[in-house]
Amino acid sequence: MPNTEGPLARPVTLPNGTVLANRIVKASMSECLGDFGLSPTRRHVTLYRRWAQSGAAVLLTGNIMIDRTAIGEVGNVVVDDERDIDLLREWAGVAKAGGAQIWAQINHPGRQIPATLNSSPVAPSAVRLTGSAGTYRTPRELADSEIVALVAKFAETARILVAAGFDGIEIHAAHGYLISQFLSPVTNVRTDRWGGNSGNRRRFLLEVVRAVRAVIGTAVPLAVKLNSADFQRGGFDEDESASVARALDAESIDLLEISGGTYESVAFMGGDATKASTRGREAYFLGFAEKIRASVSTPLLLTGGFRTAEGAGTAVASGAVDLVGIARPMALQPSYPRHLLAGLDPQTSARQRNTGIKRIDGLGNIVWHTTQLWRLGDGKDPAPERSPYLTMAHYLSRTVPYTVYRLTH
């Protein structure tokens, strides 16, 4: 039973009047369950039916892409028209069956598209990912008219998802994807109205926020996921992030989710690079949340690292954040939030699964958790003791046929 006196169990009212039942959000993880045609599948329905009983106040989807030519991963879902409206309605409906809200995270990968999925990516500037060893191609710089068209695509995707029954929208502006690329001086070296200074670099994000708000209205919660920093020399840093947070505050968004890192510096994954002092407080980016708390009125969601009721509860009780995001533990224990709400600390197997080969262990850990989501989507229980080698075989059994199809169609 929930501990109704605990900080995590208390409801919270968002600026638009939406009331969330408690302070726990199922944070986004890429489900990678889309079919060859980039549509959602019944596996999404099965997975979210399981999470519907988790006790979380909000279930945030993984990446839903806005453009059929731009998917960041095998199995991404694209919503750019109403062809899948019936299955989207079913997905949203089952997710809400246990009382949670379901919010859709919308995104565009920009240059972060493997060459096997698209050999001609687009981005703010023609800046290639470092250390990609040919995995990612140098992107083509977007023309002004294309940028304007992408703003409209974000809005159209949001409109369709809300029409399908999703309760809220989150714009993904973190982790090195397209909007994050516009924000960073490393990846945005433009000199027109979309770059050249911090105000111009944030223009794309603000235009997307305004366009989405215009089509979903004020009754539907609108969130933004923002990097605290991208952890690259000369890149998007905490001072600029705080400035962007204040600009978003002025746009009257309903929730700001804080994360950090890019594909080149994956701070959002935690792991060995995370400082000991940060691990002690559990949350990877709590210090940044505390830094901006006094200067923004927008409720804050902090995701990354929370594992115990004490750690999550302390972050909320301190006032540094309003909600906490739980991701990987829910790939292994779908009811994890119920334990936290009861003040209990469930044993989690959400930790690094290493082969001892450093060059593949980072990817291998992502793959390991992704295949746990696949098991849930197949109606099975997680397999926390599964070896990384069996996991990789499972992963390849689905991704290789998908990649071959995308390359030949």
Side-chain angles (χ1 to χ4, degrees):
M1 294 293 291
N3 176 8
T4 56
E5 299 301 318
L8 296 178
R10 296 169 188 159
V12 59
T13 302
L14 301 181
N16 75 336
T18 297
V19 178
L20 304 183
N22 58 60
R23 305 304 180 100
I24 300 179
V25 173
K26 194 288 291 179
S28 293
M29 293 177 281
S30 285
E31 304 94 353
C32 299
L33 289 170
D35 66 15
F36 287 5
L38 311 180
S39 295
T41 67
R42 300 213 61 78
R43 291 189 176 102
H44 288 95
V45 174
T46 302
L47 173 61
Y48 279 79
R49 181 180 287 116
R50 186 80 174 261
W51 277 336
Q53 307 304 319
S54 69
V58 176
L59 305 177
L60 264 171
T61 72
N63 289 322
I64 295 178
M65 296 301 182
I66 66 162
D67 189 326
R68 205 155 287 274
T69 67
I71 60 171
E73 302 154 296
V74 166
N76 276 166
V77 168
V78 177
V79 174
D80 58 356
D81 57 33
E82 297 190 3
R83 72 184 70 185
D84 297 313
I85 192 73
D86 290 338
L87 192 52
L88 289 170
R89 285 180 176 139
E90 187 174 2
W91 179 359
V94 300
K96 295 189 281 189
Q101 295 189 19
I102 181 168
W103 294 12
Q105 183 187 82
I106 59 177
N107 195 9
H108 186 295
R111 66 177 187 160
Q112 289 185 170
I113 303 177
T116 52
L117 298 179
N118 187 331
S119 61
S120 303
V122 295
S125 302
V127 179
R128 186 175 180 175
L129 268 79
T130 60
S132 59
T135 305
Y136 299 88
R137 298 285 189 258
T138 300
R140 175 180 61 80
E141 180 174 298
L142 286 159
D144 182 277
S145 60
E146 292 176 305
I147 296 171
V148 173
L150 284 171
V151 172
K153 280 181 174 288
F154 271 98
E156 177 65 0
T157 297
R159 183 196 67 78
I160 295 167
L161 289 163
V162 170
F166 288 80
D167 298 296
I169 297 293
E170 180 179 67
I171 298 165
H172 199 331
H175 298 174
Y177 293 113
L178 181 65
I179 299 179
S180 179
Q181 291 160 33
F182 269 96
L183 291 171
S184 173
V186 169
T187 49
N188 182 353
V189 296
R190 304 175 72 98
T191 57
D192 62 0
R193 63 177 178 145
W194 305 103
N197 59 55
S198 59
N200 284 350
R201 287 196 301 273
R202 76 186 61 151
R203 185 188 303 277
F204 182 63
L205 168 59
L206 297 182
E207 290 296 326
V208 170
V209 167
R210 292 164 187 161
V212 170
R213 179 62 88 189
V215 299
I216 68 173
T218 58
V220 177
L222 177 58
V224 172
K225 186 170 189 172
L226 182 70
N227 272 357
S228 61
D230 59 24
F231 301 98
Q232 292 179 277
R233 187 181 299 277
F236 187 71
D237 60 20
E238 288 193 357
D239 288 340
E240 189 162 349
S241 182
S243 181
V244 173
R246 290 190 291 271
L248 290 168
D249 199 49
E251 296 295 325
S252 300
I253 64 171
D254 298 296
L255 187 65
L256 179 63
E257 181 179 5
I258 296 167
S259 190
T262 70
Y263 279 25
E264 294 171 310
S265 180
V266 287
F268 60 92
M269 290 171 54
D272 295 338
T274 306
K275 294 180 180 178
S277 59
T278 299
R279 289 197 299 270
R281 304 177 76 191
E282 295 191 14
Y284 303 150
F285 310 108
L286 184 56
F288 178 73
E290 293 169 336
K291 177 179 178 180
I292 67 168
R293 174 76 286 175
S295 61
V296 298
S297 60
T298 303
L300 299 179
L301 163 64
L302 184 60
T303 298
F306 287 115
R307 294 293 181 267
T308 68
E310 180 181 3
T314 297
V316 170
S318 72
V321 298
D322 301 279
L323 297 112
V324 296
I326 304 294
R328 289 183 176 182
M330 291 185 66
L332 297 159
Q333 292 175 275
S335 61
Y336 204 90
R338 289 199 180 280
H339 294 278
L340 296 182
L341 290 169
L344 304 175
D345 292 336
Q347 294 297 311
T348 177
S349 298
R351 60 181 183 274
Q352 295 286 131
R353 260 31 172 222
N354 294 330
T355 63
I357 306 172
K358 289 185 177 181
R359 298 180 71 176
I360 67 171
D361 278 340
L363 173 62
N365 199 43
I366 294 173
V367 166
W368 191 90
H369 285 89
T370 299
T371 59
Q372 299 296 331
L373 299 184
W374 291 354
R375 289 182 62 85
L376 292 171
D378 289 337
K380 301 176 181 178
D381 287 329
E385 301 307 319
R386 177 183 259 195
S387 78
Y389 302 103
L390 182 59
T391 293
M392 189 60 71
H394 182 196
Y395 185 77
L396 292 174
S397 73
R398 287 192 177 179
T399 57
V400 170
Y402 181 102
T403 302
V404 170
Y405 178 89
R406 299 303 306 173
L407 286 171
T408 56
H409 287 74

